[in-house]
Amino acid sequence: NAGVTQTPKFQVLKTGQSMTLQCAQDMNHNSMYWYRQDPGMGLRLIYYSASEGTTDKGEVPNGYNVSRLNKREFSLRLESAAPSQTSVYFCASSEDPQGPFLFFGSGTQLSVL
Amino acid sequence: AQSVAQPEDQVNVAEGNPLTVKCTYSVSGNPYLFWYVQYPNRGLQFLLKYITGDNLVKGSYGFEAEFNKSQTSFHLKKPSALVSDSALYFCAVRAPTGANNLFFGTGTRLTVIP
């Protein structure tokens, strides 16, 4: 019963480095999401994919790109990491864009020095 | 625009006492409302939701929440707190149409004291 799987769990980057956060779900969900969690700010949506082949910007997309590789996988890429991107990143999925609630992965803790 | 307010960063309650975690919201139209819980080093877990129907919603682990349209509130409650309920609780809202974009509150840390 894996649900939503994120890799890696922890990552430290230097300013300007790039990396890709991976996310996969095994629930046959159509919609997938990337959130970031910062202290005192709750979760904020970075990008989402309502269905395979589509992606849309969320509340805080600057500095990120996404790829919906197939129905299972939705990756988040930082092309040139900045200290402001230090955060905990969560991937989530739902049955469809109107699905009632989200299933979350366990998160990736990213530090940019 | 949608928004959620959780006015308390921290709530402390003695084990066995009732607990309330407050949430107010702003959204156009009828809201979809949710509570999620986050344990240390884990992702968020769904607790309960209000879409339509009875204003008192029952969810996982004995939690319930009451939707109050006139006060635009959706407070989380439990009659008798357990130490294991200690966690970070998030209220979330989304509009009934459009993409499934949840807007989250800033979270309330609940500590249940033995």
Side-chain angles (χ1 to χ4, degrees), chain A residues 1-48:
Chain A
N1 58 344
V4 179
T5 303
Q6 291 183 235
T7 56
K9 293 190 181 302
F10 302 95
Q11 184 70 49
V12 179
L13 293 177
K14 295 180 179 179
T15 298
Q17 288 184 316
S18 62
M19 79 159 296
T20 300
L21 281 64
Q22 307 287 352
C23 175
Q25 51 90 9
D26 61 3
M27 295 173 284
N28 201 36
H29 285 171
N30 288 305
S31 302
M32 298 185 73
Y33 312 81
W34 276 105
Y35 284 88
R36 60 178 288 173
Q37 183 181 26
D38 300 295
M41 301 191 73
L43 278 78
R44 293 180 291 169
L45 184 66
I46 305 170
Y47 271 93
Y48 66 96

Short mmCIF file of all heavy atoms in Angstrom, two decimals, chain A residues 1-48:
data_model
loop_
_atom_site.label_atom_id
_atom_site.label_comp_id
_atom_site.label_asym_id
_atom_site.label_seq_id
_atom_site.Cartn_x
_atom_site.Cartn_y
_atom_site.Cartn_z
N ASN A 1 0.85 -1.20 0.00
CA ASN A 1 0.00 0.00 0.00
C ASN A 1 0.88 1.24 0.00
O ASN A 1 0.91 2.00 0.94
CB ASN A 1 -0.94 -0.02 1.20
CG ASN A 1 -0.22 -0.10 2.51
OD1 ASN A 1 0.97 -0.44 2.55
ND2 ASN A 1 -0.89 0.24 3.58
N ALA A 2 1.62 1.47 -1.13
CA ALA A 2 2.60 2.55 -1.15
C ALA A 2 1.90 3.91 -1.19
O ALA A 2 2.31 4.82 -0.50
CB ALA A 2 3.52 2.38 -2.33
N GLY A 3 0.86 4.09 -2.01
CA GLY A 3 0.19 5.38 -2.08
C GLY A 3 0.99 6.35 -2.93
O GLY A 3 1.19 6.14 -4.11
N VAL A 4 1.51 7.42 -2.30
CA VAL A 4 2.31 8.43 -2.98
C VAL A 4 3.73 8.34 -2.45
O VAL A 4 3.95 8.46 -1.25
CB VAL A 4 1.74 9.84 -2.74
CG1 VAL A 4 2.61 10.88 -3.44
CG2 VAL A 4 0.30 9.93 -3.20
N THR A 5 4.68 8.12 -3.34
CA THR A 5 6.08 7.94 -2.97
C THR A 5 6.92 9.08 -3.51
O THR A 5 6.87 9.39 -4.71
CB THR A 5 6.61 6.61 -3.52
OG1 THR A 5 5.80 5.53 -3.05
CG2 THR A 5 8.06 6.39 -3.09
N GLN A 6 7.69 9.70 -2.63
CA GLN A 6 8.57 10.81 -3.02
C GLN A 6 10.02 10.42 -2.77
O GLN A 6 10.35 9.81 -1.76
CB GLN A 6 8.28 12.05 -2.18
CG GLN A 6 6.96 12.70 -2.44
CD GLN A 6 6.79 13.96 -1.61
OE1 GLN A 6 5.81 14.10 -0.87
NE2 GLN A 6 7.72 14.88 -1.72
N THR A 7 10.87 10.83 -3.71
CA THR A 7 12.31 10.68 -3.51
C THR A 7 13.03 11.93 -4.00
O THR A 7 12.58 12.58 -4.97
CB THR A 7 12.85 9.47 -4.29
OG1 THR A 7 12.51 9.59 -5.67
CG2 THR A 7 12.33 8.16 -3.74
N PRO A 8 14.13 12.33 -3.35
CA PRO A 8 14.66 11.77 -2.10
C PRO A 8 13.90 12.29 -0.90
O PRO A 8 13.03 13.15 -1.03
CB PRO A 8 16.10 12.30 -2.10
CG PRO A 8 15.98 13.64 -2.75
CD PRO A 8 14.93 13.48 -3.82
N LYS A 9 14.21 11.81 0.28
CA LYS A 9 13.59 12.32 1.50
C LYS A 9 14.33 13.54 2.02
O LYS A 9 13.73 14.42 2.65
CB LYS A 9 13.60 11.23 2.58
CG LYS A 9 12.69 10.06 2.26
CD LYS A 9 12.54 9.14 3.44
CE LYS A 9 11.65 7.96 3.11
NZ LYS A 9 10.30 8.39 2.68
N PHE A 10 15.61 13.61 1.78
CA PHE A 10 16.42 14.75 2.22
C PHE A 10 17.38 15.12 1.10
O PHE A 10 17.86 14.25 0.37
CB PHE A 10 17.23 14.42 3.48
CG PHE A 10 16.40 13.99 4.65
CD1 PHE A 10 16.20 12.65 4.90
CD2 PHE A 10 15.83 14.94 5.49
CE1 PHE A 10 15.43 12.24 5.98
CE2 PHE A 10 15.06 14.53 6.57
CZ PHE A 10 14.85 13.19 6.81
N GLN A 11 17.67 16.42 0.98
CA GLN A 11 18.64 16.86 -0.02
C GLN A 11 19.22 18.19 0.41
O GLN A 11 18.49 19.06 0.89
CB GLN A 11 17.98 17.02 -1.39
CG GLN A 11 18.91 17.38 -2.51
CD GLN A 11 19.84 16.24 -2.89
OE1 GLN A 11 19.41 15.12 -3.10
NE2 GLN A 11 21.13 16.57 -2.98
N VAL A 12 20.54 18.32 0.25
CA VAL A 12 21.21 19.60 0.48
C VAL A 12 21.84 20.03 -0.83
O VAL A 12 22.56 19.25 -1.46
CB VAL A 12 22.28 19.48 1.58
CG1 VAL A 12 22.98 20.83 1.76
CG2 VAL A 12 21.67 19.03 2.90
N LEU A 13 21.56 21.25 -1.24
CA LEU A 13 22.10 21.79 -2.48
C LEU A 13 22.88 23.07 -2.19
O LEU A 13 22.61 23.76 -1.20
CB LEU A 13 20.98 22.13 -3.46
CG LEU A 13 20.15 21.01 -4.05
CD1 LEU A 13 19.05 21.61 -4.94
CD2 LEU A 13 21.00 20.05 -4.85
N LYS A 14 23.77 23.38 -3.09
CA LYS A 14 24.41 24.69 -3.07
C LYS A 14 23.64 25.62 -4.01
O LYS A 14 23.03 25.17 -5.00
CB LYS A 14 25.86 24.58 -3.50
CG LYS A 14 26.73 23.78 -2.55
CD LYS A 14 28.17 23.72 -3.04
CE LYS A 14 29.03 22.93 -2.07
NZ LYS A 14 30.45 22.83 -2.53
N THR A 15 23.67 26.89 -3.71
CA THR A 15 23.01 27.87 -4.57
C THR A 15 23.47 27.70 -6.02
O THR A 15 24.67 27.60 -6.28
CB THR A 15 23.31 29.29 -4.09
OG1 THR A 15 22.78 29.45 -2.76
CG2 THR A 15 22.68 30.33 -4.98
N GLY A 16 22.50 27.65 -6.94
CA GLY A 16 22.80 27.52 -8.35
C GLY A 16 22.76 26.09 -8.87
O GLY A 16 22.68 25.88 -10.09
N GLN A 17 22.79 25.11 -7.97
CA GLN A 17 22.70 23.73 -8.42
C GLN A 17 21.27 23.41 -8.84
O GLN A 17 20.32 24.09 -8.45
CB GLN A 17 23.14 22.77 -7.31
CG GLN A 17 24.63 22.77 -7.05
CD GLN A 17 25.04 21.73 -6.02
OE1 GLN A 17 24.39 21.58 -4.98
NE2 GLN A 17 26.11 21.01 -6.31
N SER A 18 21.15 22.34 -9.62
CA SER A 18 19.84 21.91 -10.06
C SER A 18 19.54 20.53 -9.51
O SER A 18 20.45 19.78 -9.15
CB SER A 18 19.76 21.88 -11.59
OG SER A 18 20.69 20.95 -12.10
N MET A 19 18.26 20.22 -9.41
CA MET A 19 17.85 18.89 -9.01
C MET A 19 16.39 18.66 -9.36
O MET A 19 15.64 19.62 -9.60
CB MET A 19 18.06 18.65 -7.52
CG MET A 19 17.01 19.24 -6.61
SD MET A 19 16.97 18.45 -4.99
CE MET A 19 16.49 16.79 -5.39
N THR A 20 16.03 17.39 -9.38
CA THR A 20 14.65 17.00 -9.67
C THR A 20 14.12 16.17 -8.53
O THR A 20 14.76 15.22 -8.10
CB THR A 20 14.58 16.19 -10.98
OG1 THR A 20 15.06 16.98 -12.06
CG2 THR A 20 13.14 15.77 -11.26
N LEU A 21 12.94 16.56 -8.03
CA LEU A 21 12.24 15.79 -7.03
C LEU A 21 11.25 14.87 -7.76
O LEU A 21 10.50 15.32 -8.63
CB LEU A 21 11.46 16.70 -6.07
CG LEU A 21 12.25 17.38 -4.95
CD1 LEU A 21 13.27 18.35 -5.51
CD2 LEU A 21 11.29 18.12 -4.02
N GLN A 22 11.28 13.60 -7.36
CA GLN A 22 10.44 12.61 -8.03
C GLN A 22 9.22 12.28 -7.19
O GLN A 22 9.28 12.27 -5.97
CB GLN A 22 11.24 11.32 -8.28
CG GLN A 22 12.56 11.51 -9.00
CD GLN A 22 12.38 11.82 -10.47
OE1 GLN A 22 11.28 11.77 -11.01
NE2 GLN A 22 13.49 12.16 -11.14
N CYS A 23 8.13 12.01 -7.87
CA CYS A 23 6.90 11.61 -7.19
C CYS A 23 6.18 10.59 -8.05
O CYS A 23 6.06 10.77 -9.27
CB CYS A 23 5.99 12.82 -6.98
SG CYS A 23 4.37 12.41 -6.29
N ALA A 24 5.70 9.53 -7.41
CA ALA A 24 4.93 8.51 -8.12
C ALA A 24 3.78 8.05 -7.24
O ALA A 24 3.93 7.94 -6.02
CB ALA A 24 5.82 7.32 -8.47
N GLN A 25 2.62 7.80 -7.87
CA GLN A 25 1.47 7.30 -7.14
C GLN A 25 0.96 6.04 -7.82
O GLN A 25 1.00 5.92 -9.04
CB GLN A 25 0.38 8.38 -7.03
CG GLN A 25 -0.04 9.05 -8.33
CD GLN A 25 -1.19 8.35 -9.05
OE1 GLN A 25 -1.82 7.44 -8.50
NE2 GLN A 25 -1.45 8.79 -10.27
N ASP A 26 0.47 5.13 -6.99
CA ASP A 26 0.02 3.84 -7.52
C ASP A 26 -1.48 3.65 -7.34
O ASP A 26 -1.97 2.52 -7.27
CB ASP A 26 0.80 2.70 -6.86
CG ASP A 26 0.60 2.64 -5.35
OD1 ASP A 26 -0.18 3.45 -4.81
OD2 ASP A 26 1.24 1.79 -4.71
N MET A 27 -2.21 4.75 -7.24
CA MET A 27 -3.66 4.68 -7.00
C MET A 27 -4.47 4.97 -8.26
O MET A 27 -5.69 5.14 -8.19
CB MET A 27 -4.03 5.67 -5.89
CG MET A 27 -3.40 5.29 -4.56
SD MET A 27 -3.63 6.54 -3.28
CE MET A 27 -2.42 7.76 -3.79
N ASN A 28 -3.79 5.08 -9.40
CA ASN A 28 -4.44 5.36 -10.67
C ASN A 28 -5.17 6.70 -10.66
O ASN A 28 -6.20 6.89 -11.32
CB ASN A 28 -5.41 4.25 -11.07
CG ASN A 28 -5.70 4.24 -12.56
OD1 ASN A 28 -4.82 4.51 -13.38
ND2 ASN A 28 -6.93 3.93 -12.93
N HIS A 29 -4.62 7.65 -9.90
CA HIS A 29 -5.22 8.98 -9.83
C HIS A 29 -4.88 9.80 -11.07
O HIS A 29 -3.78 9.69 -11.62
CB HIS A 29 -4.74 9.72 -8.58
CG HIS A 29 -5.36 9.22 -7.33
ND1 HIS A 29 -4.93 9.61 -6.08
CD2 HIS A 29 -6.39 8.38 -7.11
CE1 HIS A 29 -5.67 9.03 -5.16
NE2 HIS A 29 -6.56 8.27 -5.76
N ASN A 30 -5.83 10.63 -11.44
CA ASN A 30 -5.62 11.48 -12.61
C ASN A 30 -4.85 12.76 -12.28
O ASN A 30 -4.09 13.26 -13.10
CB ASN A 30 -6.95 11.86 -13.25
CG ASN A 30 -7.59 10.70 -13.95
OD1 ASN A 30 -6.98 10.07 -14.82
ND2 ASN A 30 -8.82 10.38 -13.59
N SER A 31 -5.06 13.30 -11.09
CA SER A 31 -4.52 14.61 -10.75
C SER A 31 -3.38 14.50 -9.75
O SER A 31 -3.43 13.70 -8.81
CB SER A 31 -5.62 15.50 -10.16
OG SER A 31 -6.68 15.64 -11.08
N MET A 32 -2.35 15.33 -9.97
CA MET A 32 -1.19 15.35 -9.06
C MET A 32 -0.77 16.78 -8.79
O MET A 32 -1.01 17.67 -9.62
CB MET A 32 -0.05 14.52 -9.66
CG MET A 32 -0.41 13.05 -9.85
SD MET A 32 0.94 12.02 -10.42
CE MET A 32 1.95 11.90 -8.92
N TYR A 33 -0.09 16.98 -7.66
CA TYR A 33 0.18 18.32 -7.16
C TYR A 33 1.55 18.36 -6.48
O TYR A 33 2.00 17.37 -5.91
CB TYR A 33 -0.87 18.72 -6.10
CG TYR A 33 -2.29 18.47 -6.53
CD1 TYR A 33 -2.85 17.20 -6.43
CD2 TYR A 33 -3.08 19.50 -7.03
CE1 TYR A 33 -4.15 16.96 -6.84
CE2 TYR A 33 -4.38 19.27 -7.43
CZ TYR A 33 -4.91 17.99 -7.33
OH TYR A 33 -6.19 17.76 -7.73
N TRP A 34 2.15 19.55 -6.53
CA TRP A 34 3.35 19.82 -5.73
C TRP A 34 3.07 21.01 -4.83
O TRP A 34 2.68 22.09 -5.31
CB TRP A 34 4.56 20.12 -6.61
CG TRP A 34 5.26 18.90 -7.09
CD1 TRP A 34 5.22 18.36 -8.35
CD2 TRP A 34 6.12 18.05 -6.32
NE1 TRP A 34 6.00 17.23 -8.41
CE2 TRP A 34 6.56 17.02 -7.19
CE3 TRP A 34 6.57 18.05 -5.01
CZ2 TRP A 34 7.43 16.01 -6.77
CZ3 TRP A 34 7.42 17.04 -4.59
CH2 TRP A 34 7.85 16.04 -5.46
N TYR A 35 3.29 20.81 -3.53
CA TYR A 35 3.15 21.86 -2.53
C TYR A 35 4.51 22.07 -1.86
O TYR A 35 5.33 21.17 -1.76
CB TYR A 35 2.15 21.47 -1.44
CG TYR A 35 0.71 21.57 -1.83
CD1 TYR A 35 0.06 20.49 -2.44
CD2 TYR A 35 -0.03 22.71 -1.56
CE1 TYR A 35 -1.29 20.56 -2.77
CE2 TYR A 35 -1.37 22.80 -1.89
CZ TYR A 35 -1.99 21.72 -2.49
OH TYR A 35 -3.33 21.80 -2.82
N ARG A 36 4.69 23.28 -1.33
CA ARG A 36 5.80 23.52 -0.41
C ARG A 36 5.24 23.97 0.93
O ARG A 36 4.21 24.65 0.99
CB ARG A 36 6.80 24.54 -0.96
CG ARG A 36 6.28 25.91 -1.25
CD ARG A 36 7.40 26.84 -1.75
NE ARG A 36 8.32 27.20 -0.68
CZ ARG A 36 9.45 27.89 -0.85
NH1 ARG A 36 9.81 28.28 -2.06
NH2 ARG A 36 10.24 28.20 0.17
N GLN A 37 5.93 23.54 1.99
CA GLN A 37 5.50 23.87 3.34
C GLN A 37 6.59 24.66 4.03
O GLN A 37 7.71 24.18 4.18
CB GLN A 37 5.20 22.60 4.14
CG GLN A 37 4.68 22.87 5.55
CD GLN A 37 4.42 21.60 6.34
OE1 GLN A 37 5.04 20.56 6.08
NE2 GLN A 37 3.51 21.66 7.27
N ASP A 38 6.25 25.86 4.46
CA ASP A 38 7.17 26.73 5.16
C ASP A 38 6.58 27.11 6.51
O ASP A 38 5.36 27.27 6.63
CB ASP A 38 7.43 27.99 4.33
CG ASP A 38 8.02 27.65 2.96
OD1 ASP A 38 9.14 27.13 2.95
OD2 ASP A 38 7.35 27.89 1.94
N PRO A 39 7.43 27.27 7.50
CA PRO A 39 6.93 27.60 8.86
C PRO A 39 6.06 28.84 8.84
O PRO A 39 6.42 29.86 8.25
CB PRO A 39 8.22 27.82 9.65
CG PRO A 39 9.26 27.03 8.93
CD PRO A 39 8.90 27.13 7.47
N GLY A 40 4.91 28.74 9.49
CA GLY A 40 4.02 29.88 9.61
C GLY A 40 3.26 30.24 8.35
O GLY A 40 2.53 31.23 8.32
N MET A 41 3.42 29.44 7.30
CA MET A 41 2.75 29.77 6.03
C MET A 41 1.89 28.63 5.51
O MET A 41 1.34 28.74 4.44
CB MET A 41 3.78 30.16 4.98
CG MET A 41 4.63 31.36 5.38
SD MET A 41 5.61 32.01 4.05
CE MET A 41 4.34 32.80 3.08
N GLY A 42 1.80 27.56 6.22
CA GLY A 42 0.99 26.45 5.73
C GLY A 42 1.56 25.86 4.46
O GLY A 42 2.76 25.97 4.19
N LEU A 43 0.72 25.25 3.66
CA LEU A 43 1.14 24.68 2.40
C LEU A 43 0.72 25.59 1.26
O LEU A 43 -0.40 26.09 1.25
CB LEU A 43 0.50 23.30 2.19
CG LEU A 43 1.18 22.13 2.88
CD1 LEU A 43 0.82 22.10 4.34
CD2 LEU A 43 0.80 20.83 2.21
N ARG A 44 1.61 25.74 0.29
CA ARG A 44 1.29 26.56 -0.88
C ARG A 44 1.52 25.74 -2.14
O ARG A 44 2.54 25.06 -2.27
CB ARG A 44 2.15 27.83 -0.89
CG ARG A 44 1.83 28.79 0.25
CD ARG A 44 2.72 30.02 0.18
NE ARG A 44 4.10 29.70 0.48
CZ ARG A 44 5.12 30.54 0.29
NH1 ARG A 44 4.90 31.74 -0.22
NH2 ARG A 44 6.34 30.16 0.60
N LEU A 45 0.59 25.85 -3.06
CA LEU A 45 0.64 25.06 -4.29
C LEU A 45 1.64 25.65 -5.26
O LEU A 45 1.59 26.84 -5.59
CB LEU A 45 -0.75 25.02 -4.92
CG LEU A 45 -0.89 24.14 -6.16
CD1 LEU A 45 -0.69 22.67 -5.80
CD2 LEU A 45 -2.26 24.35 -6.79
N ILE A 46 2.54 24.80 -5.76
CA ILE A 46 3.55 25.23 -6.72
C ILE A 46 3.04 25.02 -8.14
O ILE A 46 2.95 25.94 -8.94
CB ILE A 46 4.87 24.46 -6.51
CG1 ILE A 46 5.35 24.60 -5.07
CG2 ILE A 46 5.95 24.97 -7.48
CD1 ILE A 46 6.52 23.69 -4.73
N TYR A 47 2.74 23.78 -8.47
CA TYR A 47 2.19 23.39 -9.77
C TYR A 47 1.23 22.22 -9.54
O TYR A 47 1.34 21.50 -8.54
CB TYR A 47 3.30 22.89 -10.71
CG TYR A 47 3.95 23.94 -11.56
CD1 TYR A 47 5.10 24.58 -11.12
CD2 TYR A 47 3.43 24.27 -12.81
CE1 TYR A 47 5.73 25.53 -11.91
CE2 TYR A 47 4.06 25.23 -13.61
CZ TYR A 47 5.21 25.86 -13.15
OH TYR A 47 5.83 26.79 -13.93
N TYR A 48 0.34 22.04 -10.48
CA TYR A 48 -0.51 20.87 -10.46
C TYR A 48 -0.74 20.35 -11.87
O TYR A 48 -0.52 21.08 -12.85
CB TYR A 48 -1.83 21.13 -9.73
CG TYR A 48 -2.75 22.11 -10.41
CD1 TYR A 48 -3.77 21.67 -11.24
CD2 TYR A 48 -2.61 23.47 -10.20
CE1 TYR A 48 -4.63 22.57 -11.85
CE2 TYR A 48 -3.46 24.37 -10.82
CZ TYR A 48 -4.47 23.93 -11.64
OH TYR A 48 -5.31 24.81 -12.25
#
